[in-house]
Structures are given as C-alpha cells and as structure tokens.
C-alpha cells in the first residue's frame, strides 16, 4: 500500500539448473551485509531451468551498491545467469495506452492513487482524444497520436522515460518492430480466456458458442497476436440469460482486476518469461 | 436426494415467442387440476424464441394423464411448440461408457448410490475390460465391446432400454450415424475449458501454453468433435509449479463435478438445446 | 445497459402457496393484452410460501394501467398476496451514503455513468466533507450532515425523493427508528463473509484468525447489526503472505463488485425478503 | 503422482527472524553436497518470525545423513530454530477416523490408490461398524471402538505406528488430553466456512441464515472446538432454491476436495503452525 522502501532491492535470476546456485547467491548477499526478506524459487525439471526472486534489505550493507552489483555479476557469470536487479528507490515509469474504453484506465488511475500500484504513471497515450479529461483529472500528461504512428508513440515514451507499457484496451495492433524493442515490458488485457477466442470480438463469439464462463487474460505482448506469455487469467459465470451486453459488463469487472493484478506483479519484479510462459514468483 | 415423487411431472417446451404462451399453458394445467410447483422460462429476444420448464403435481388431477397430455398436445399444436413431458414415475435409464480412466465412473456410481442422481444406471459399456470390477462392485451390468463396434454398443443400449448415454472419459469417437440416433442424449466430459484445447491431449497443451487456469466442459455430443452444446463448465487455478501430472490431478476433480452436474440437470429435464447452445432452466 | 424501456413493467408477489396462483396471474395479464417476457418463481415447500417475478410488455395493452392494476389488486386480494408493481417509466431514485472511503462511491458512479445501474442517483450524503469533489465530478448533489443527525439525513432524502439508500462504506450505525422507515430499502456492504466477522474491523480479525479466503456481503439493513437479509456474497483467496493491508486491498475489489451486484438486482426488482432471507428471482 | 523419491528430503524450519539465516542453511546443505530443488520462505514482519521449507536431493551427498542432520542441528541451535527433517524413504503413516458418512473416506482411499496421497493408510478407525466394507475393499485394516474410548483408539494408533490422524467426518469430539499428544498432527474437516457456523449442524444454520455461499474448512485440531489453525478453505455458490439437502450435497464435494488438499500439503511437509495460524509453503 505504501511506497516501496528505498532501502529494499529485488534480484531476479534465471539460468540452467546447477548445484550450489542458491547457496552462492545467498552467501554473496549475506557477505555484503544484505538481509534476505523473501526468496522464492522454482526449478522446471523438464526444462532444466532455475528461477529465483530475492528481495533484500540494504540498510545494513557493509559495502555499497556498486560492490554488491559487481559481486552479483560475478556469480551470474559463473552460473550463466540472466539477471536483473531492481533498486527500491527507482520507481518504474509506466505509460498507459488507451483508445475509447475508459474502464481499465479509470481503474488503474484509481488504484495508483490509492497506493496499490508502486510506479509513476508517466503518460497516457491514445489514438483518440476522448479520454484526455480522465488523464487530466488525475494530473497525468496525455498525448494523442494518429493510428499506426508508432514513431510518435516511441517519441512520447522516450520523452517520458517509460519502462513499462500497459495496453488498457488499446484497440491498435503494434508492429513486430515496435514490440521487439519492448520485450516482456508491454502488458495487454485480452477480453477472453486465452487461448479461447483469440482475435476480434471475443464476447460476441463467446455468446454464440454458448460458454458458461467468460474470461479475461493479461499477457505480455509478442509479435504473434494474443499468443504472448500469460501473466494472469480469471473467469466469471454466465448463463443463457446473459446477452452480449451482459457479457461485456461482466467482462469489464474481470478485465480491470486481471490487468491490475498483472501490472502489480510486473511492478514488483515477480514475473519471469521463458518458453512462451511466465513464472510468477511470490 | 430422494427419488422423484411419482406424482410429479415436468413439461419442457420451446417455440417461437408469441403472446399468450404462458397463460395458455398455465391455464391448461390448472384446468386439469395440476398444481404448478416450479416454472422457469426464458425468452431469447434476438432469436425470438421462448423456452419454459414447468414442474407440476398430479396428485389432485381432476382428469387423467391421457387427457392432460392430449390437452397439452392441443396447445402445443396451436403455438408450434416442441415439447416433451417427463412423468415422475418413469425414471431415466442411463448407460455409462468408459475406457480406462476410472475416476468419473466411480464418482457417478457413488453419487448414484448416495441418491444424487435420479435414474437407473442400466449398464456400463467399455472398449476395455479393466473397469468391470467397479461396475460389479456396485451391482451394475458390464458389457465389453471391441473398439468401433457400434452395432454391439447399440444392441446393448437397446437391451438395457437406455435413454441417456454418459461418456465418462470414453476415449473412442462415435460415428455421425450413431450420434444422429441420440440427439441431445449423449453427454460427454471434455478435459479443457472449451473452445480452448479442443481435441486430443488438452492438459499437455494447457501446460505448454502456460495458462493460469485449467478447465473441464460437459456437453452434448454432436457430429462435430468437441463442438456440441455446452451444459456446464468450471475451472481451477494452476501455476508455473504445476507439472502436467498436477494438471491431470486437478482436472480430475473438475471433470467429476462438472460431469455430475450436467448429468443431474439432464436427468431433471432442465436442459433445452437450440442454435448449438443450451438453456438450463431452474 | 440502456434505460429500462418505458413500456415494460415488473410485478413482484409473495404469498402462502396455493393452487391456481400462476394461472390466475398469467390469465389476468394476458386478458389485458400484456405480454409476459420473463417469469421466475420459487416455492419454499418448508415455509409453504410462493414468490414470483413477472416482467411484461405494456405496448399492446388492450385496457390501461389503472385497469390492469385494479385487476392485479383483485387477484392479490383473493390469494392474500403481498405485491408491488414497478413501471418502467418510473426510475428509482437512489441516495448513496458515504464516510471517508471512496472506492465504492467511485465504483457506483462509474457504473451508473456506464449505464449499468438503472436509476437516478439523486444525492450523495456524508458525515464528512472529503468526498464532495467526487460527487461534484459526476454532477451529483452532495449534502453533509453531522454524525447521528438522522433528522437532517431524512430531510435530504425527502427533498431528493429517494426510494433506495445505498450505504457505500458508511461508517455510522443507523438507529432502529430510522431503519424501520426504510424496510428492505437500505443496502449495506459489509467487508466480511457474514456471519463470520460481524461488527468492527473484520479484516484485522480475518488476519488474526488466519482464514484462507476473505469475503464481502451485501445485505438489507435491519435493526440488528450485520444480521439483515443477505443479497449477495463473494470471496477471494488469501494466504499467509497477505498482510492486513493486502486483505484490505483484495477486499476493496470484492466490496465494489458485491455491492454493485446487490444494487443492480434491487433496482431490477428481483429481490424479495422473507424469514430474514432473500429470494433473488431471475 | 508417483512415490516420493527416496533420495529426496524436506527441511522445515521456523525461528525469530535474523540476518544470515538463509545463507547459513543454504551453505550447510551445499557444503554436504545436497542439491536444493525447491525453497520457499516467509517472514512475518509483524511477528518477527521466519519460516522456510527446503526440499533437497541427497543423491550426491558427500557426507551422510547422520553428518548432515548433525550439521543442521548445529545451525538450528545457533539461530534458535524449531525444525523437522523428513526423509523421502520414510512414508508417513496415516489413520483415518470415520463415523457413518462415507464420502470423505471413499475420496481419500480412491485418491490414495490413484497415487495422489504420498503415505501409507495404516488403519481406518470408527465408532461404528458401517464403513468396514469400504476399508476392506481397499485392503486397509479396520478397527472399531466404542464412543469416547480413547485408550482403545490410542492403542490402535500405536499398533499401526501412525504419524498423522485424519478425521474424515468423525462425529466424536476428542478430549484435550488426547489432542495434546498429537499437536498439528490431527486434521479435521469442518463443513462450514470457519469461523462462520462453528459447532453442530452448520448446513442447517447456513440455510436458516440465507447465505449465498457455503463452505468447508480443513484445520488442525486443538483443544478448542473448530478453533484450530486453518489449512485450507473453499466455498461454493448457493441460492434460495437450495434446500438443506442441496447444501449437504454441494458441501460434500467441497469437503472432499478441501480435506484432500489439506492432507496432501501436510504429507508434503508444507504446513507450519504458529500463533493459531498456518503457513503453507510452496
């Protein structure tokens, strides 16, 4: 609920599984005076891959951040780790992209104001002007671009020093070239239980198929539409009485909750991607 | 929990929506001394279709069943209704078809014995001999057939005077000709959240896609595989920690509950089919 | 999603169960040219009580509203029915009472603007001034009162011609005298799965008890605190990792959805109260 | 699904939180050649308590089990840890206590046979003879005792060398003296969402209160009835249409799933108890 304390840091690693990984990392952190608060790990035995998230307290560090980072780099090199280190004093900067639906935008901005999302919302970008007043109401800069004008989008992202892009029911498809610049950093909400009803108009198709549950899926964007690694999903019950409008209404509640959960986990550096899937560490 | 009282009857109707439908049926039943206990109806405004289920008490009938049925037939003819009338003293006769998985068979037989399923389990049919001891243990006749030998299956169904077929993880595909003889009377359990993962090996595919929920779907069988009208669906949460075996284990619990629910609704004459979907009336 | 068409009406009845009830009501409506669109009924066999909701179309009425209402009154008298008739052209007028938490207020006002709640939000009342800007932003009158000053509250309700009161995390207890004037017309959201954690501070107590699910309950207010008839409930999973703040955050999402659902059902005249419980008709 | 490999071991520790805990344990295991497969930990900041579960592979141990256990004991002493070590080759021995309801017993025995529960079911004990045939059918010894005759129960448990007691709808209350001998080793299933409807007859009371969800709770037994640490809970939706019998039927499905989940977690040494609550580590 509160800001992430500046004296905390989070380390995320993934690598081929080997003996001594856990001990080496723990020993390295301990040796520098860092106190491990949380550690969650996962070994995918089939893939032979190891994943770990360690959150630790820097306040009694006996060396300094530079030395600690160098030591982690050394261990990582030895074990062939991919890794990233997030310092508590560096808040992530988020851009929210929208079109005309306002429910996810409102929801994210209200949660941000309530302290649920630990980031700076740097800018709201849209291919329409309609939602500008909502951004204004929360004091967030709003920038409009023409459809498909990704150069302008990128310029706005650069200007606002954005790390993470949230597509809050943004109705444009981003090009593979654009997506390639933001690997595992663009979060989309799709209004179905993927892989069911990929593509356009999922509520109408769910209605026509007569399903008894409708869903929503938050995923990282890749260059294959609706095929990116799934971060979170949820469903809600429906019946033959529900019209398409009812499914849209029920779905809105799901979309908001599922997208916010995925964004929160991403901001907390809990999500690792491999083999087209996510590992969400506690 | 108890047997359906012999003095109750259930009327299911569907027809193009017209004024006076509800009043005519209610008036007809009332005129013969039948007391309406439950009535649930649904109008699909898009399709212009009307559906109703009426459960009524025959114990103070002022005429008799033949006269009542004739009167209903007359109203039905006037409004162009499809209808069916289930008398409480005629229990449905069910065949359960299985292959090698025993969890759904066990579950159905235990529920039947506990009074949850109001029917006679007339026979268990299988393309394997393995599950014969389970049928024996519950005192149910067991008949084995060779794969694809639908003539033998049909003969066993005829011998046992079966109305309803339950595919309790039966691993054979029934031919269109066979299916055509049993419209909306064959219930299958598919081990995914349809339309996701239609066809073979859904748990492995769910694992590979990295979904965060796995599901199960009970549906009527039509001649398009896994495309029949959905009666019931449910999902359960999974994470990156779940192996395929874990998904199979979690899925078993879903399959049992979802199949049993669909069978129960079918036996209670709650399910109507139209436009490839179901209406499940209360 | 859209306004309730002015040519529709909803009849809600409850009475001791007797033969001929359904036929008499259906016949009466039919006889005046009203077309029944939906009808749902329930018989509580234990209590010997009958409940029905009928929604019908007035556009081809062969008499008029006055005559129809007189005819319904006549039938109701004959069967000892409690009844109420809601005309589609008369929108309900709602007051929202709040204290300092803004999430339910925001949620209701956003849903109202999105067309999800078919009513006029006549006024927002509060024992604090803090949330006045939110009401202003949606163009809803806001009135402040001192704690316990129920005479002022009642005056504002009268001025605004309010039918239904929604307590959207209103932190004051209303007196029995006040509550008695609004039977089954005050809806409260309690932040626990009632009857667990009645009274104050349910999230802290849920945390201390170590429950694995937290809940929210919407109910009609009676003069016994948190004992009123339950309209809707939901739960969400929690674990040992959740702090009280996490439970509060997860609970907010539940509170919003559960309260909105209860208000929607109430506005659609689906909810009947008897024996301290609700019947929510389809 | 398969037996726990004999070359695996699980270490569970809890202690006041201090720096260096994680590194010391990891270093100790690594130093003896044990390979950490999974490690999950939790720090309760409020209580200042640390909890960890480490599962490790013994197959390339460079010392032996005795030396490893001595080393762990040394670290534990230094940090004031409570700890327990479960060797993969020592399967837990479980007694199931029942009265007359058979659904949980059947469910546990079927899951055990399907490989879902990694233990030996050593004995079924009952204060009635009714369920003896079920135990026989699965080849499990069955022993009957008179109500309240805890000396006989204890003798049977001793004879069967039991570690864990599962109360599968056992309708007798165990004495404080008995319970004290089995701390965090007796698992009970209560047929409500605790702390709602503690004590007798929860389905009837849920029906009378008019709740919209019914629940089940698995917990460790302590000497205060239904107040023990909760391991798992779940709920299912109900409506005004559900009779008490319907709630019982819906509840049975919950009871089975919730009890089996709690037993599975217990058998996997995932559950730690403190402050009347559980920590369930991954």
């Amino acid at each position: 609920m509160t800001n992430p304390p500046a004296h905390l840091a989070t380390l995320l690693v993934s690598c081929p599984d080997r003996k001594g990984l856990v001990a080496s990392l723990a020993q390295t952190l301990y040796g520098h005076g860092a106190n491990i608060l949380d550690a969650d790990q996962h070994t995918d035995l089939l893939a032979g891959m190891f994943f770990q998230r360690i959150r630790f307290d820097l306040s009694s560090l006996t060396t300094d951040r530079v030395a600690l980072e160098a030591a982690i780099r050394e261990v990582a090199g030895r074990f062939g780790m991919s890794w990233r280190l997030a310092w508590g004093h560096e808040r992530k900067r988020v851009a929210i992209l929208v079109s005309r639906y306002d429910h996810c935008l409102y929801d994210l901005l209200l949660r941000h104001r309530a302290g649920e999302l630990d980031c700076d919302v740097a800018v709201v970008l849209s291919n329409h002007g309609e939602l500008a007043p909502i951004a204004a109401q929360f004091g967030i800069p709003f920038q409009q671009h023409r459809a498909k004008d990704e150069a302008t989008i990128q310029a706005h992202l650069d200007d606002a020093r954005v790390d993470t892009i949230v597509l809050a029911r943004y109705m444009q498809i981003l090009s593979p070239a654009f997506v390639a610049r933001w690997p595992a950093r663009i979060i989309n909400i799709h209004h179905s239980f993927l892989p069911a009803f990929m593509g356009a108009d999922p509520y109408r198709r769910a209605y026509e198929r007569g399903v008894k549950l409708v869903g929503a899926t938050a995923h990282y964007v890749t260059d294959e539409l609706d095929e990116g690694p799934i971060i979170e999903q949820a469903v809600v019950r429906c019946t033959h009485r529900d019209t398409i409008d009812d499914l849209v209404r029920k779905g809105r509640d799901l979309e908001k909750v599922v997208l916010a959960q995925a964004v929160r986990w991403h901001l907390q550096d809990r999500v690792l991607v491999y083999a087209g899937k996510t590992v969400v560490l506690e």
Side-chain angles (χ1 to χ4, degrees), chain A residues 18-36:
Chain A
R18 278 173 52 190
K19 232 189 286 192
L21 279 166
V22 174
S24 297
L25 281 172
Q27 198 55 48
T28 301
L29 292 171
Y30 181 56
H32 287 250
N35 192 28
I36 295 178

Side-chain angles (χ1 to χ4, degrees), chain A residues 72-93:
Chain A
I72 292 169
R73 181 172 299 113
E74 189 278 323
V75 175
R78 192 145 32 98
F79 287 98
M81 289 175 182
S82 299
W83 62 290
R84 89 178 177 253
L85 189 52
W87 301 105
H89 65 287
E90 295 174 354
R91 287 160 66 91
K92 286 193 174 50
R93 294 180 60 78

Side-chain angles (χ1 to χ4, degrees), chain A residues 183-206:
Chain A
R185 293 200 291 157
I186 309 175
I187 299 170
N188 184 46
I189 180 74
H190 185 76
H191 40 314
S192 83
F193 180 80
L194 289 176
F197 309 120
M198 293 194 284
D201 226 352
Y203 291 127
R204 186 187 50 74
R205 287 154 63 208

Side-chain angles (χ1 to χ4, degrees), chain A residues 14-274:
Chain A
S14 60
C15 59
D17 192 26
R18 278 173 52 190
K19 232 189 286 192
L21 279 166
V22 174
S24 297
L25 281 172
Q27 198 55 48
T28 301
L29 292 171
Y30 181 56
H32 287 250
N35 192 28
I36 295 178
L37 298 178
D38 288 309
D40 187 25
Q41 64 177 69
H42 173 62
T43 306
D44 182 326
L45 293 173
L46 237 68
M49 287 292 291
F50 172 83
F51 308 90
Q52 193 172 29
R53 176 184 187 260
I54 307 178
R55 208 164 58 101
F56 51 95
D57 188 331
L58 301 163
S59 48
S60 53
L61 215 58
T62 53
T63 61
D64 62 16
R65 288 175 188 188
V66 175
L68 178 60
E69 193 158 345
I72 292 169
R73 181 172 299 113
E74 189 278 323
V75 175
R78 192 145 32 98
F79 287 98
M81 289 175 182
S82 299
W83 62 290
R84 89 178 177 253
L85 189 52
W87 301 105
H89 65 287
E90 295 174 354
R91 287 160 66 91
K92 286 193 174 50
R93 294 180 60 78
V94 170
I96 304 176
L97 270 67
V98 294
S99 292
R100 284 178 154 150
Y101 294 111
D102 64 359
H103 57 284
C104 285
L105 176 61
Y106 248 119
D107 186 69
L108 290 170
L109 295 179
L110 284 168
R111 287 180 196 272
H112 183 255
R113 197 164 71 184
E116 285 187 26
L117 300 174
D118 190 18
C119 64
D120 294 321
V121 180
V123 66
V124 173
L125 301 179
S126 181
N127 58 322
H128 285 286
E130 268 174 65
L131 305 187
I134 300 176
Q137 175 189 326
F138 287 84
I140 312 284
F142 179 93
Q143 301 287 355
Q144 192 174 343
H145 55 266
R146 278 160 302 143
K148 310 283 174 199
D149 182 4
E150 294 184 346
T152 299
I153 297 173
Q154 185 66 50
H156 289 311
L157 297 171
D158 291 343
D159 284 356
R161 290 169 295 116
V162 163
D163 321 295
T164 299
I165 299 172
V166 177
L167 307 185
R169 297 298 308 276
Y170 182 64
M171 306 307 279
Q172 303 287 316
I173 293 170
L174 298 167
S175 72
F178 184 94
V179 168
R181 280 197 297 277
W182 296 87
R185 293 200 291 157
I186 309 175
I187 299 170
N188 184 46
I189 180 74
H190 185 76
H191 40 314
S192 83
F193 180 80
L194 289 176
F197 309 120
M198 293 194 284
D201 226 352
Y203 291 127
R204 186 187 50 74
R205 287 154 63 208
Y207 175 82
E208 287 169 358
R209 180 63 185 89
V211 292
K212 301 300 186 187
L213 300 166
V214 288
T217 304
H219 63 94
Y220 285 121
V221 175
T222 60
D223 54 9
E224 290 175 275
L225 187 67
D226 299 333
E227 294 275 16
I230 294 168
I231 307 169
E232 175 63 335
Q233 301 188 287
V235 296
V236 68
R237 201 149 186 82
C238 60
T239 76
H240 61 269
R241 295 184 193 279
D242 288 306
T243 62
I244 296 179
D245 280 350
D246 291 326
L247 300 187
V248 168
R249 173 177 57 76
K250 290 182 170 185
R252 275 200 298 259
D253 282 342
L254 281 184
E255 293 166 31
K256 291 187 288 188
V257 169
V258 168
L259 179 59
Q261 181 66 282
V263 170
R264 188 181 305 113
W265 283 336
H266 175 91
L267 294 174
Q268 293 172 339
D269 294 294
R270 298 189 180 281
V271 192
L272 279 161
V273 169
Y274 85 110

